């Protein structure tokens, strides 16, 4: 490895030197041109200049490609196959087709079938088109073969072939793959190298006193997984719960509380059922003018810091907080509450700033702010009654997160319905120079609605929102029934059964959510998510437990401290199915890289499912342990057991990100 890096460095230095020389020559020909405009040599020089420029372009691309590849190695991060192949083919294309390679992004994909190799480069047709535009006719297969001829040597490739209309198929190298799997065993499952950032993930964010609905469940599940994912990559993650704890609903709640429990400052009122309490106060608010007025004055008093109002507000928030926490505990979610109220002072400040910088416009008594390009709708920064809005709190929050928290990457997880809101907030923040797109990354992570099995919005029969606690209880009940159907109670201790029940119930709810492309709606069906076949949490949990038990069943060094076996075993990957499994495991790094771009966790679900099904194919035909008729172990194939071990380690890491709790026994 060391010497590899040394020679890469030497090569880089050589190329850089060559570039300097070329630059000098090009500069030289330029000045010659201007001095000797009548010079008969001029034409020749210009041609020469063109050629040199091409050469320079090639070298620049080569340097970028080399940098890419060698920096990945130097950091000790696991190799990204897609990135490495992209670099290699980029270089090949630049060398073979310098006149058209500009604006041709290298396209490498996983091959659809093993007969087309493991990966393929799909650029030939596009290059043909580029030549056509220059009036040159070329054949895509010829292009592919030229590309192949210029492909730099790499330890990750065993061979390349041309196929079909001009694809270049790449076959991975077994030795390289075996050593990459060995490093998973020796060093653990490592994230790809990336620039570490301070990331703030805003998720869950239910509203106090109002029902926490399935939309909040999605935000909670997705936000928690994104946070775990980013932590795995090594980012510094702050998880924030931007609860709605400062809105107008508090006016009516407090006014109602004053009437029902005048003694609330001394004694905690019995408002355990905040929902019901909220409904009562809302009914009064809608029907009683007197009450309505008082409710408004209560909000004003609260927001100006009146102690009695604050006391009432705290009581109400506490009840909600306890309810939310119960759900977070059940789902194993960690989050810090920092609700809208936190920004009260900061809202006053930002309104001042935006106003003095001339960003606010009068509109029918309101103060509004448009984004950079007056897109969609403006934000309402101050209402006509002088109050602040959801928009105001998000402007104050984005500033606080970027400037005080020093966030470099802000993520907001809410339903897709709020996409415009966030696009406008980002745009206004850019306009006000709070957000600098050259240093900050911002993402709205939207998601579709949850549908019931009837294909309509997920609601109770009577049309109410579904209480999350009840939904989780239902999951527990169903998962227990499933386990009892399979007579697992006969095999598991009561504690093990309970652990299995919870892991299956919460796991299946989370996994059903995460395994769908978050941008789409999905149908919530306990029957589907509890199936033990197909891409479900139940299938995966069983598969994982089975894999874990293999090493344990080998006994000896395999069961206690497999490190010794790791140190003394070489992977052969001889059998076709071993080789296939290894190649699937090596996709892990690329899956991680893809998710860090699009924050779509269904890619990870697809990956764990592919790992599990490929593992089953392998395990069905490859003996890891051979036993005699008496059931005694007669032979252990250590390499294969290690492949099982690597599989389980990769799965474990993925399960953690997806919030699945693996079980010892199920
Ligand atoms: N409480 C809001 C809702 O229920 C979600 C808040 C999302 N976060 C934010 N910074 N706006 O829709």
């Amino acid at each position: 490895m060391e010497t590899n890096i040394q020679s890469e460095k030497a090569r880089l230095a050589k190329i850089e030197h060559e570039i300097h020389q070329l630059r000098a020559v090009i500069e030289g020909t330029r000045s010659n041109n201007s001095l000797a405009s009548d010079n008969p040599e001029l034409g020749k020089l210009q041609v020469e200049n063109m050629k040199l420029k091409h050469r320079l372009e090639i070298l620049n691309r080569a340097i970028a490609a080399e940098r890419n590849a060698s920096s990945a190695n130097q950091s000790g991060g696991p190799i990204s196959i897609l990135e490495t192949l992209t670099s290699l083919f980029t270089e090949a294309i630049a060398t073979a087709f310098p006149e058209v390679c500009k604006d041709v992004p290298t396209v490498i994909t996983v091959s659809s079938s093993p007969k087309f190799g493991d990966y393929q480069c799909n650029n030939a047709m596009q290059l043909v088109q580029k030549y056509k535009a220059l009036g040159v006719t070329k054949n895509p297969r010829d292009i592919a073969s030229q590309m192949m001829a210029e492909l730099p040597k790499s330890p990750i490739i065993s061979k390349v072939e041309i196929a079909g209309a001009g694809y270049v198929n790449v076959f991975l190298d077994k030795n390289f793959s075996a050593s990459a799997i060995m490093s998973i065993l020796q060093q653990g499952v490592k994230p790809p190298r990336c620039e570490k950032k301070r990331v703030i993930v805003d998720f869950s964010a239910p509203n106090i006193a109002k029902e926490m609905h399935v939309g909040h469940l999605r935000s909670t599940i997705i936000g928690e997984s994104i946070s775990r994912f980013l932590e795995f990559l090594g980012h510094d993650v702050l998880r924030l719960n931007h609860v709605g704890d400062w809105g107008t609903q508090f006016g009516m709640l407090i006014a109602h509380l004053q009437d029902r429990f005048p003694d609330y400052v001394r004694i905690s009122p019995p408002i355990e059922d905040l929902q019901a309490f909220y409904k009562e106060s809302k009914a009064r608010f809608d029907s009683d003018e007197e009450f309505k007025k008082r409710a408004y004055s209560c909000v004003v008093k609260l927001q100006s810091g009146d102690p009695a109002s604050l006391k009432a507000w705290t009581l109400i928030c506490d009840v909600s907080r306890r309810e939310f926490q119960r759900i977070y505990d059940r789902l194993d979610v960690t989050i810090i509450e920092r609700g809208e109220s936190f920004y009260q002072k900061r809202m006053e400040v930002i309104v001042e700033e935006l106003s003095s910088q001339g960003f606010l416009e009068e509109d029918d008594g309101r103060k509004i702010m448009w984004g950079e390009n007056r897109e969609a709708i403006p934000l309402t920064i101050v209402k006509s009654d002088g109050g602040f809005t959801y928009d105001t709190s998000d402007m104050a929050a984005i500033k606080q997160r970027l400037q005080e928290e020093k966030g470099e990457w802000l993520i907001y997880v809410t339903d897709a319905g709020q996409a415009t809101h966030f696009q406008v907030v980002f745009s206004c923040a850019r306009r006000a120079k709070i957000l600098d797109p050259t240093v900050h990354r911002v993402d709205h992570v939207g998601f579709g609605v949850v549908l019931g099995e009837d294909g309509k919005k997920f609601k109770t029969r009577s049309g109410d929102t579904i209480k999350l606690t009840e939904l989780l209880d239902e999951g527990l009940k169903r998962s227990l029934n499933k386990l009892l159907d399979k007579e697992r109670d006969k095999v598991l201790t009561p504690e093990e059964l309970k652990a299995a029940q919870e892991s299956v119930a919460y796991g299946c709810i989370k996994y059903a959510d995460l395994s769908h492309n978050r941008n789409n709606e999905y149908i919530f069906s306990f029957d589907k998510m509890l199936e033990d076949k197909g891409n479900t949490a139940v299938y995966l949990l069983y598969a994982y437990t089975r894999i874990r038990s293999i090493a344990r069943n080998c006994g000896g060094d395999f069961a206690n401290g497999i490190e010794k076996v790791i140190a003394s075993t070489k992977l052969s990957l001889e059998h076709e199915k071993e080789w296939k499994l290894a190649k699937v495991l090596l996709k892990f790094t690329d899956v991680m890289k893809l998710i860090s771009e699009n924050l779509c966790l269904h890619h990870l679900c697809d990956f764990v499912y592919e790992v599990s099904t490929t593992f089953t194919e392998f395990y069905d035909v490859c003996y890891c342990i051979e036993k005699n008729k008496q059931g005694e172990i007669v032979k252990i194939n250590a390499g294969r057991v290690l492949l099982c071990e690597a599989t389980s380690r990769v799965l474990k890491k993925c399960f953690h990100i997806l919030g699945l709790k693996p079980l010892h026994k199920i």
Side-chain angles (χ1 to χ4, degrees):
M1 182 58 93
E2 258 312 292
T3 48
N4 263 347
I5 295 172
Q6 289 309 331
S7 66
E8 294 282 272
K9 273 191 177 158
R11 223 183 122 186
L12 262 182
K14 227 178 96 197
I15 297 177
E16 261 172 352
H17 179 69
E18 204 176 330
I19 286 190
H20 271 118
Q21 289 185 325
L22 285 172
R23 279 231 173 83
V25 175
I26 289 173
E27 289 309 315
T29 53
R30 266 205 206 114
S31 51
N32 276 350
N33 292 347
S34 56
L35 283 177
S37 49
D38 304 325
N39 193 324
E41 292 284 291
L42 180 65
K44 252 165 94 188
L45 278 171
Q46 273 171 340
V47 172
E48 190 60 18
N49 193 353
M50 276 286 282
K51 281 192 189 156
L52 289 171
K53 272 191 177 155
H54 278 320
R55 181 79 192 128
L56 188 61
E57 167 82 13
I58 295 167
L59 289 170
N60 274 330
R61 280 176 155 242
I63 247 188
E66 297 274 335
R67 279 234 170 83
N68 221 333
S70 66
S71 61
N73 291 338
Q74 273 166 20
S75 76
I79 192 157
S80 153
I81 295 173
L82 282 176
E83 196 175 273
T84 310
L85 292 179
T86 304
S87 293
L88 295 169
F89 275 93
T90 303
E91 191 175 337
I93 292 171
T95 314
F97 317 109
E99 52 281 347
V100 293
C101 67
K102 251 185 136 201
D103 310 320
V104 177
T106 307
V107 182
I108 307 289
T109 55
V110 175
S111 297
S112 55
S113 145
K115 61 175 187 279
F116 300 132
D118 302 311
Y119 291 83
Q120 58 189 48
C121 173
N122 308 334
N123 281 97
M125 333 305 165
Q126 200 189 359
L127 290 164
V128 168
Q129 294 306 319
K130 289 270 174 188
Y131 274 113
K132 203 168 166 194
L134 295 181
V136 182
T137 312
K138 287 215 186 224
N139 169 329
R141 281 185 72 98
D142 292 343
I143 294 240
S145 79
Q146 267 174 280
M147 212 191 282
M148 222 169 86
E150 296 298 343
L151 195 68
K153 286 254 159 307
S154 163
I156 85 165
I157 300 176
S158 74
K159 65 168 177 176
V160 274
E161 272 176 12
I162 301 172
Y167 298 104
V168 180
N169 294 340
V170 177
F171 294 77
L172 288 188
D173 183 80
K174 235 179 229 183
N175 283 329
F176 151 75
S177 304
S179 74
I181 298 284
M182 283 312 287
S183 64
I184 294 179
L185 291 163
Q186 288 152 353
Q187 291 154 33
V189 183
K190 292 275 185 261
R193 189 183 55 94
C194 66
E195 199 190 321
K196 308 287 179 261
K197 293 210 159 101
R198 168 110 169 124
V199 195
I200 297 177
V201 188
D202 174 321
F203 68 99
S204 194
N207 300 308
I208 302 279
K210 295 190 192 167
E211 192 56 82
M212 186 173 179
H213 55 70
V214 281
H216 295 121
L217 179 67
R218 285 211 81 177
S219 173
T220 307
I221 291 173
I222 296 171
E224 171 68 27
S225 276
I226 287 182
S227 303
R228 289 177 180 217
F229 165 73
L230 295 168
E231 281 155 0
F232 170 61
L233 292 191
H235 296 296
D236 168 18
V237 180
L238 176 64
R239 301 137 169 258
L240 289 185
N241 202 357
H242 192 82
V243 293
D245 64 354
W246 210 230
T248 11
Q249 83 257 37
F250 282 97
M252 34 187 243
L253 282 163
I254 294 172
H256 191 50
L257 189 68
Q258 288 170 342
D259 294 345
R260 288 297 130 91
F261 307 106
D263 216 10
Y264 69 83
V265 183
R266 276 192 328 110
I267 310 161
S268 233
I271 43 166
E272 281 314 308
D273 193 355
L274 252 189
Q275 267 299 294
F277 192 76
Y278 176 80
K279 279 192 184 148
E280 282 165 38
S281 65
K282 177 91 170 81
R284 290 182 73 189
F285 185 84
D286 291 338
S287 62
D288 179 345
E289 270 310 307
E290 212 33 54
F291 181 81
K292 196 171 186 165
K293 262 196 214 140
R294 200 149 56 79
Y296 278 129
S297 74
C298 283
V299 192
V300 177
K301 264 172 107 177
L302 170 68
Q303 301 198 340
S304 61
D306 165 60
S309 310
L310 279 174
K311 171 80 196 181
W313 173 77
T314 312
L315 283 172
I316 294 166
C317 290
D318 278 344
V319 178
S320 269
R321 201 168 282 139
R322 278 199 298 274
E323 271 173 37
F324 299 155
Q325 195 53 47
R326 272 198 285 272
I327 299 217
Y328 298 143
D329 288 345
R330 291 174 78 170
L331 294 175
D332 203 6
V333 166
T334 311
I335 191 162
I336 293 172
E337 184 184 315
R338 191 182 283 173
E340 292 170 15
S341 62
F342 172 85
Y343 301 96
Q344 174 61 28
K345 261 253 108 44
R346 291 173 177 84
M347 286 195 270
E348 290 163 20
V349 173
I350 195 147
V351 169
E352 231 349 272
E353 288 172 357
L354 294 175
S355 164
S356 68
Q357 292 164 30
F359 291 123
L360 302 187
E361 290 172 34
E362 283 290 323
D363 177 79
D364 217 7
R366 306 179 303 153
K367 289 203 176 86
I368 60 168
M369 176 173 180
W370 287 96
E372 287 174 311
N373 309 305
R374 287 183 94 84
E375 52 271 275
I377 41 159
L379 296 180
T380 299
I381 301 294
V382 186
K383 288 192 290 186
S384 48
D385 66 3
F388 299 149
T389 69
Y390 187 54
D391 299 354
T392 328
S393 74
D394 265 324
M395 284 304 284
I398 198 168
K399 180 175 173 226
Q400 196 274 342
R401 291 173 192 183
L402 294 172
Q403 297 182 354
E404 290 178 52
E405 288 296 347
K406 307 267 181 277
E408 295 164 290
W409 183 2
L410 307 185
I411 296 174
Y412 298 80
V413 188
T414 78
D415 60 289
Q418 298 198 39
T420 309
H421 165 76
F422 284 106
Q423 291 324 320
V424 178
V425 167
F426 300 160
S427 183
C428 287
R430 280 192 297 267
R431 191 177 159 213
K433 303 264 180 288
I434 293 169
L435 171 66
D436 176 355
T438 63
V439 279
H440 302 130
R441 172 173 171 181
V442 284
D443 283 284
H444 172 243
V445 170
F447 51 80
V449 289
V450 184
L451 302 176
E453 290 189 75
D454 55 1
K456 299 204 186 97
K457 217 170 162 180
F458 196 40
K459 292 246 155 111
T460 62
R461 252 166 240 214
S462 56
D464 287 336
T465 46
I466 292 177
K467 284 210 164 88
L468 290 194
T469 338
E470 287 167 15
L471 190 78
L472 300 185
D473 288 344
E474 173 80 11
L476 280 180
K477 208 176 83 195
R478 299 239 197 170
S479 86
L480 183 61
N481 288 342
K482 189 95 193 172
L483 291 163
L484 295 179
D485 277 353
K486 293 177 162 238
E487 304 198 322
R488 303 313 292 162
D489 53 325
K490 303 225 164 82
V491 194
L492 303 175
T493 66
E495 293 75 35
E496 286 168 343
L497 186 67
K498 184 161 180 285
Q501 178 193 11
E502 289 179 357
S503 166
V504 167
Y506 303 142
C508 80
I509 294 174
K510 292 178 193 174
Y511 194 79
D513 193 314
L514 297 170
S515 58
H516 292 91
N517 183 332
R518 61 174 169 77
N519 294 301
N520 304 334
E521 46 197 31
Y522 85 95
I523 293 179
F524 192 97
S525 159
F526 273 124
D527 289 334
K528 281 239 164 61
M529 58 180 87
L530 283 166
E531 269 170 19
D532 47 21
K533 287 192 191 68
N535 193 2
T536 67
V538 183
Y539 168 75
L540 293 166
L541 288 167
Y542 275 110
Y544 180 80
T545 307
R546 198 160 3 103
I547 302 171
R548 285 300 303 148
S549 67
I550 296 167
R552 217 184 312 129
N553 288 342
C554 295
D557 279 345
F558 288 92
N560 332 288
I562 199 157
E563 273 56 42
K564 259 197 212 152
V565 186
I566 294 172
S568 60
T569 308
K570 220 175 135 344
L571 288 188
S572 73
L573 305 180
E574 210 166 323
H575 193 284
E576 168 212 355
K577 297 293 182 188
E578 291 177 67
W579 181 211
K580 183 173 175 187
L581 176 57
K583 286 186 290 195
V584 172
L585 292 176
L586 293 186
K587 288 184 189 170
F588 177 76
T589 308
D590 285 318
V591 173
M592 293 287 119
K593 290 181 86 80
L594 176 61
I595 300 172
S596 53
E597 278 156 34
N598 64 19
L599 301 173
C600 282
L601 288 155
H602 68 276
H603 300 303
L604 190 57
C605 298
D606 292 344
F607 172 73
V608 285
Y609 185 56
E610 191 183 4
V611 169
S612 305
T613 51
T614 314
F615 178 84
T616 308
E617 282 179 37
F618 149 79
Y619 198 59
D620 281 350
V621 294
C622 294
Y623 273 113
C624 294
I625 312 172
E626 282 175 48
K627 291 185 179 170
N628 62 16
K629 288 213 176 70
Q630 289 75 47
E632 295 154 348
I633 296 177
V634 289
K635 194 176 154 202
I636 293 176
N637 184 324
R640 289 180 182 170
V641 178
L642 287 190
L643 197 52
C644 298
E645 181 69 18
T647 306
S648 81
R649 290 190 188 183
V650 170
L651 282 180
K652 187 173 179 197
K653 194 54 88 189
C654 299
F655 281 12
H656 173 74
I657 294 171
L658 298 169
L660 299 186
K661 276 217 173 91
L663 296 156
H664 186 67
K665 267 172 104 181
I666 181 170

